[in-house]
Amino acid sequence: MASLTEEIALAHPEATRIRRPPSKGLDGVFRGAAYASAIIVLLVLAGILASIAYGGWPAFREFGPGFITSTSWNIGTEQFGAWVAIVGTLASALIALLIGVPLSLGIAVYLTQLCPGWARKPVAMTIELLAAVPSIIYGMWGLFIFAPLFARFVQVPVSNLVEGLPIVGTLLYARVPSGVGILTAGIILAIMIVPFVASITRDMLDQIPTILRESAYGIGCTTWEVVRHVLVPQASVSIIGAIMLGLGRALGETMAVTFVIGNANRLSASIFDPGSTIASRIANEFNEADGMQLNALMALGCILFVVTFIVLIVARLLVRRVKVA
Amino acid sequence: MNAANTLTPAVTQGRPPSGGRVRSGRRVADRTLRIACTLATLLGAVVLGSILLMLIIEGLRGFSATLLTQPTPGPGSEGGGIANAVLGSLVLTFIGIVVATPIGVMAGTYLAEYGRGSKLADVIRFLNDVLLSAPSILIGLFVYTLMVRPMGSYSGWAGGVALAIIATPVIVRTTEDMLRLVPGSLREAGAALGAPPSRVIMSVTWRAASAGIVTGVILALARIAGETAPLLFTALNNNSWFSANLMGGIANLPVMIYQFALSPYPNWQGLAWAGALLITVAILALSMVARLVVKSERAR
């Protein structure tokens, strides 16, 4: 073969030129551009971390580890601590999970097991459109529609009921029943994470081989038993991954929370009282901030970055492992 | 989805073959699950319905003849519109998508075509997925440090870049997914004709996946059109008419809605509702279009 090629090359010198791709240079440029674009994604992520760490560094240096545990946020005396915002972030995200996860799982089970065939597509679309609604719209809905109803029908009756009781009397007592507060923020966040968790869970449930379900129904299992003993064990790891993705979203959500959490700088024992999250405090104060306050807000952003990225990385690992298997 | 359809109706309805002879405890658990799941789904639909209803009622009340012809009015004054915010939002979204599309498509191409089996591509794919759900406010802080502070003022450019950073991971992800669906035999056929890899990608793979890639861009558009948090520290807002100078703060719908909705002036609140209706309708329409593109592609 080699000799034949050489022969052709000798006889027709122009043939060797054709063998070399005419656009070798362009090919390299294209490949380089694709590579560079992929690297940009890496650089952006590194840049986010670097810029926030750089901006927050003066605050970490000034207040040390006490920055995390300090509850003061005094602009006049330049004393800043993250604890109130951290507690608000974790509390609202926890409430969001407690309410949102059962709802999401219920919707996923409904869509895959119970829903009649003709309704499946419209219902799935309704839930997915909820995910497309911008977060600021959720904020307006929460503040102008949900909060007044919540104050009137939940906060006032519950506060009257539990007043004076130990523990629940402080936890569920609204000093000013305005409808806004950590619980309201948690409920709005729950509504916002439901479409995400539900659609991922639905995809995971759909991936489970039909034969497993058919066998279970075939030996006389009820829907509850199929869900409990067949579907959930099969998809558990990825469902946890989906929940973690929802948690990542709840931790970093800004606009909706800023509308409904009340933006208080003090720590309150009641989940009916206003509070603030890391994201809502940054959104509220950043534009007027200066000097050390700016650095403290950047440091808050740094804490948020670390927490959400750990959550998101774990979530992606859990969701991915199942997809591969 | 399709897998479920293969079950016979009696089975999907979960009616145990033994009819009424199911132990009552099992029946109660089963009924409870069915009712709870149906209620959860109903609740989701009710919330979406209530949001849309609120937007339509309040938004139409805020509509006026001058809504799309006049800039935002001063505090407490009557009349005016949101024309400058609409225009500014279009410009910012345009900058965002124009910057993000080439980078996103090329990065997705690298991951799907060149980076198969490479460690670096695995890392980038993973981090892109993480970036996809990163809090947008952190992206705002990043662009503030990168552009607003060195340049000394809020600017339209910074807002556009922030939106581009949010749009890019969406495009990377969908481009890669769609390119992976293209059968390898198509690439081999192209290569057998003597086309270099870049030629195969541009004339064969991209063309085969074009509808999917367009869907990704539309989804990214829907995602950034309503983003508020990153614009707070980058584009901010501006009550004056739109100016071509993108070096200053620029009016945009999301930040306008945020500021006006929380203001004490009824006129501003009305404008915020009208803007909210406008932006939500636009975004929901974009999401539906993206869905239709995928559907028509599948039908082909």
Side-chain angles (χ1 to χ4, degrees), chain A residues 141-191:
Chain A
W141 184 79
L143 182 62
F144 297 112
I145 307 288
F146 183 76
L149 294 176
F150 187 69
R152 191 162 156 207
F153 294 109
V154 178
Q155 279 192 337
V156 173
V158 171
S159 294
N160 289 340
L161 194 70
V162 300
E163 195 175 358
L165 294 175
I167 303 173
V168 281
T170 39
L171 192 65
L172 293 175
Y173 182 71
R175 258 174 290 192
V176 186
S178 58
V180 298
I182 290 180
L183 181 59
T184 312
I187 293 172
I188 299 296
L189 284 175
I191 295 170

Side-chain angles (χ1 to χ4, degrees), chain B residues 189-258:
Chain B
L193 291 174
S198 64
R199 192 67 207 240
V200 172
I201 290 169
M202 281 190 278
S203 320
V204 180
T205 357
W206 277 1
R207 200 168 287 179
S210 59
I213 296 175
V214 170
T215 308
V217 175
I218 298 175
L219 284 178
L221 208 56
R223 169 90 198 266
I224 61 176
E227 274 294 347
T228 315
L231 294 181
L232 282 176
F233 327 133
T234 52
L236 197 62
N237 199 358
N238 186 337
N239 273 357
S240 64
W241 249 113
F242 172 75
S243 77
N245 181 11
L246 290 176
M247 292 308 288
I250 176 172
N252 59 85
L253 270 178
V255 177
M256 185 282 288
I257 295 171
Y258 173 57

